[in-house]
Amino acid sequence: MYLSLYRKWRPRTFDEICGQEHITSILRKQCDTNRVSHAYLFCGTRGTGKTSSAKILAKAVNCENPINGNPCNNCSSCKAIDSGSATDVLEIDAASNNRVDNVRDLRDEVVYPPSVLKKRVYIIDEVHMLTDSAFNALLKTLEEPPEYVVFILATTEINELPPTIISRCIRFDFSRIDTEAVNKRLVYVAEQEDIHLADGSAELLAQLADGSMRDALSLLEACSNGSVGELTTETIRNVLGLAGDETIYSLLSAISDKNVPVAMDIVEQVHRSSKDISVFIDDLSLAVRDIIIEKQLVKFGKRGKLKSEYLNVCEKFTPEQLFYISSVLEETQSRISRYSVNKRVVLEMSVIRMCDKTVSDSPKALAARISELEKRLAVLSATGLNKNFIETESIVETPEIIKSEENVATKDISHERIPFPNISEIYEFISDNPSLLSFLKKSKVYLQGDVVIIASEQFTIDMIKIESGNMLNDAFVSTLGKSVNITFEEAKQETKNESQVSFMDEL
Ligand SMILES: Nc1ncnc2c1ncn2[C@@H]1O[C@H](COP(=O)(O)OP(=O)(O)OP(=O)(O)O)[C@@H](O)[C@H]1O
Ligand SMILES: [Mg+2]
Ligand SMILES: [Zn+2]
């Protein structure tokens, strides 16, 4: 019979459970000294060993020849429990037996001593699925169970359990398994299964599994199925639709060079290769984080995780630029998850913003622009060019700042800013373009003399600029009967976060 890897490699002793030593050591000790409690609650993230531990515990309390509290897995009790033929060990899946009747049956049964084994063990998995009345019935049994009964409740959703149940059990919290422990187990299982892991493959899988051993083993299986020879990180990336480091660092490099065409090409490639854009953004964020950490470590003469072939990308950015990119990526990801937008278009817009920081007026973007200017000045003065040259150069480099100041100056300060009076006419005018309409509706529109001010989130502003063409201008001209200047203003967020405040202070 074919068993998937994670089922085949279910741990069979407490010692085989990885990364939960804080739990297994206690359970083993209790079994060893015969001080087993009557009710346990195993909670925590999925795929971390709750059900496995419950089965091991059921065997350990009944084993005829336990070894330091571990079940022997060889005696008739262990074998009967493993094969599911032991009538004294009952596994109940609360997801499908959640009614009060099921629990009542259980309550009626509990009064009979075990027929063959030492203890009657009830494993109630997914216990949070029980109905309220089923919980109440269970509570009665948990209160005064006969001494030959052991309850083991398991759940991922501790918050959905009534406190009365929780307080009657010894509770163990199964934590996410750390990457190192997952890594080691993967190497072990691969060896037993004759799967050859290339350098870095186990690490990559462990990282992707995010603390779940079941996920780690499923990923290993998915990636090694049908592949011949060594399992490389490249195969893993291909099977799972992850972009390679190459792609990620080329994109970052294009961003630092402000090379929009190359950057767009890379986004197009990612899109065409049917890699998931959200996963790609996560990968980009991780790479940016690695670079930020590397930059800090280098100051102390240390090295981080960044591969040496990408150190040159690291040198292209100032820390402020990296923080800016990281904040844009974060925003992009949350936009994608909040709205059902075209992921590719959103990524393209964000990449353009990252390439051309002058498009954004956020404090982080300003800080990034200033730090870039400082870097250029430092290079110029280091190369011994005279001061005059530096000054003209820096003026040439900052037209956008001047332009935006001009914009402010052109706003007619003799007029007060008022909410745009005939906004419904504007809506009417652009109703042929529903996406422009919806983005404009998300914005605040003001009139100040001859200036129309559209205030919104940066993303909305970008979308209005892309969508509108001449339409918006025509709308205002026809509504007001005169020519106007349209300016955009990034709407202030209600609560500034700390980093923004400190950037503002510095500015
Ligand atoms: N701590 C661990 N050590 C070794 N293998 C583990 C561990 N946790 C999980 N596994 C592997 O994952 C599989 C599933 O584990 P298990 O059923 O115990 O997880 P669980 O915590 O009950 O998950 P769920 O919450 O989804 O029910 C096991 O068969 C085993 O292969
Ligand atoms: Mg389970
Ligand atoms: Zn045994």
Side-chain angles (χ1 to χ4, degrees):
M1 188 180 88
Y2 176 76
L3 268 187
S4 56
L5 269 193
Y6 76 83
R7 287 183 60 200
K8 184 166 167 193
W9 291 97
R10 192 186 274 289
R12 304 183 69 217
T13 62
F14 290 125
D15 296 343
E16 274 182 87
I17 300 257
C18 315
Q20 313 288 4
E21 287 76 15
H22 60 296
I23 295 169
T24 49
S25 61
I26 297 174
L27 291 176
R28 208 182 43 223
K29 187 95 181 274
Q30 289 188 339
C31 294
D32 201 26
T33 54
N34 243 329
R35 278 195 301 222
V36 176
S37 162
H38 68 268
Y40 293 89
L41 174 59
F42 293 170
C43 54
T45 347
R46 45 190 291 278
T48 51
K50 297 181 295 297
T51 304
S52 307
S53 299
K55 290 188 184 199
I56 296 168
L57 181 57
K59 285 187 283 182
V61 296
N62 284 307
C63 181
E64 290 149 36
N65 315 299
I67 310 159
N68 299 329
N70 281 309
C72 75
N73 289 311
N74 252 326
C75 66
S76 55
S77 306
C78 285
K79 283 185 168 157
I81 297 172
D82 267 340
S83 68
S85 63
T87 50
D88 293 323
V89 171
L90 288 110
E91 289 180 44
I92 301 162
D93 180 9
S96 42
N97 304 291
N98 61 355
R99 286 170 315 115
V100 63
D101 294 350
N102 300 121
V103 177
R104 285 221 188 93
D105 292 348
L106 182 154
R107 231 169 73 192
D108 297 340
E109 244 174 48
V110 159
V111 295
Y112 303 107
S115 50
V116 182
L117 302 178
K118 293 185 236 173
K119 301 254 186 196
R120 186 192 286 272
V121 183
Y122 291 92
I123 300 175
I124 310 183
D125 223 338
E126 312 296 338
V127 65
H128 63 275
M129 302 290 278
L130 290 182
T131 58
D132 285 349
S133 41
F135 272 128
N136 281 334
L138 179 62
L139 205 54
K140 298 254 162 59
T141 324
L142 278 181
E143 245 157 14
E144 308 158 47
E147 34 122 18
Y148 46 78
V149 170
V150 177
F151 281 99
I152 309 171
L153 317 183
T155 180
T156 44
E157 313 295 328
I158 185 80
N159 299 329
E160 289 171 30
L161 289 192
T164 42
I165 298 273
I166 300 177
S167 66
R168 279 171 180 75
C169 303
I170 302 195
R171 169 175 166 180
F172 289 109
D173 288 74
F174 284 66
S175 42
R176 282 210 165 80
I177 306 169
D178 79 36
T179 329
E180 195 47 45
V182 176
N183 189 348
K184 256 169 88 180
R185 178 80 175 169
L186 281 174
V187 169
Y188 171 77
V189 171
E191 216 171 81
Q192 303 297 310
E193 289 287 323
D194 227 8
I195 298 169
H196 300 277
L197 291 174
D199 260 4
S201 294
E203 284 87 349
L204 178 60
L205 290 171
Q207 216 178 355
L208 293 168
D210 195 22
S212 161
M213 190 70 86
R214 185 198 289 113
D215 288 1
L217 292 172
S218 301
L219 291 171
L220 174 66
E221 182 160 23
C223 295
S224 59
N225 258 348
S227 83
V228 270
E230 264 195 339
L231 178 59
T232 61
T233 51
E234 203 191 332
T235 314
I236 298 174
R237 290 183 179 284
N238 279 336
V239 174
L240 303 178
L242 310 171
D245 286 353
E246 203 52 45
T247 317
I248 287 165
Y249 286 94
S250 329
L251 179 56
L252 288 174
S253 186
I255 289 172
S256 81
D257 296 341
K258 303 196 178 47
N259 194 333
V260 176
V262 169
M264 288 298 107
D265 264 0
I266 297 173
V267 174
E268 166 74 23
Q269 271 171 36
V270 172
H271 176 70
R272 233 180 320 142
S273 66
S274 75
K275 300 197 191 310
D276 185 78
I277 298 269
S278 301
V279 176
F280 179 68
I281 295 172
D282 276 345
D283 287 355
L284 261 180
S285 302
L286 282 178
V288 172
R289 189 200 61 179
D290 284 350
I291 297 176
I292 292 175
I293 292 174
E294 192 76 37
K295 276 189 107 64
Q296 299 306 316
L297 290 180
V298 165
K299 285 189 200 159
F300 297 94
K302 293 196 171 147
R303 284 291 321 275
K305 278 197 289 187
L306 195 70
K307 292 195 193 136
S308 41
E309 63 253 50
Y310 301 124
L311 277 173
N312 62 330
V313 182
C314 178
E315 278 154 21
K316 286 178 159 194
F317 292 102
T318 65
E320 286 75 14
Q321 289 170 322
L322 292 166
F323 284 122
Y324 171 64
I325 292 175
S326 160
S327 75
V328 174
L329 288 173
E330 207 175 289
E331 231 181 284
T332 313
Q333 193 67 288
S334 87
R335 226 162 249 157
I336 286 179
S337 61
R338 257 185 304 151
Y339 311 114
S340 56
V341 281
N342 183 325
K343 291 183 185 184
R344 176 190 167 184
V345 175
V346 178
L347 178 60
E348 281 172 349
M349 294 307 106
S350 299
V351 168
I352 291 174
R353 274 171 66 202
M354 291 186 262
C355 285
D356 184 3
K357 285 172 284 299
T358 57
V359 176
S360 167
D361 291 328
S362 76
K364 279 204 179 120
L366 285 172
R369 278 154 69 183
I370 290 170
S371 81
E372 195 174 325
L373 286 173
E374 283 170 352
K375 193 169 139 194
R376 277 163 196 249
L377 284 172
V379 172
L380 286 170
S381 48
T383 48
L385 293 167
N386 70 39
K387 193 165 172 291
N388 268 344
F389 182 79
I390 294 171
E391 273 170 3
T392 41
E393 175 77 349
S394 68
I395 288 168
V396 172
E397 287 298 327
T398 53
E400 298 77 14
I401 292 175
I402 294 169
K403 209 164 51 192
S404 65
E405 275 162 5
E406 275 169 8
N407 266 346
V408 175
T410 56
K411 278 181 204 161
D412 192 344
I413 47 165
S414 63
H415 285 84
E416 248 186 88
R417 168 189 289 210
I418 52 167
F420 194 86
N422 339 52
I423 193 70
S424 53
E425 280 182 46
I426 304 286
Y427 291 160
E428 176 91 54
F429 197 99
I430 61 171
S431 59
D432 283 349
N433 184 339
S435 57
L436 177 59
L437 180 64
S438 81
F439 286 117
L440 193 67
K441 282 187 171 174
K442 282 192 203 144
S443 318
K444 292 213 167 78
V445 183
Y446 302 102
L447 187 64
Q448 184 167 15
D450 285 343
V451 182
V452 172
I453 301 154
I454 299 177
S456 200
E457 231 194 310
Q458 188 58 49
F459 171 72
T460 311
I461 295 178
D462 291 344
M463 295 311 285
I464 291 176
K465 284 180 181 167
I466 290 163
E467 292 285 346
S468 76
N470 287 330
M471 199 182 220
L472 206 55
N473 193 51
D474 294 350
F476 284 112
V477 172
S478 95
T479 307
L480 293 171
K482 60 178 179 181
S483 73
V484 289
N485 268 323
I486 303 176
T487 63
F488 292 91
E489 197 176 276
E490 192 177 355
K492 299 277 168 300
Q493 283 168 346
E494 243 121 70
T495 48
K496 289 187 198 169
N497 63 35
E498 268 175 34
S499 61
Q500 277 176 332
V501 174
S502 66
F503 271 122
M504 288 304 265
D505 291 343
E506 272 174 40
L507 289 173

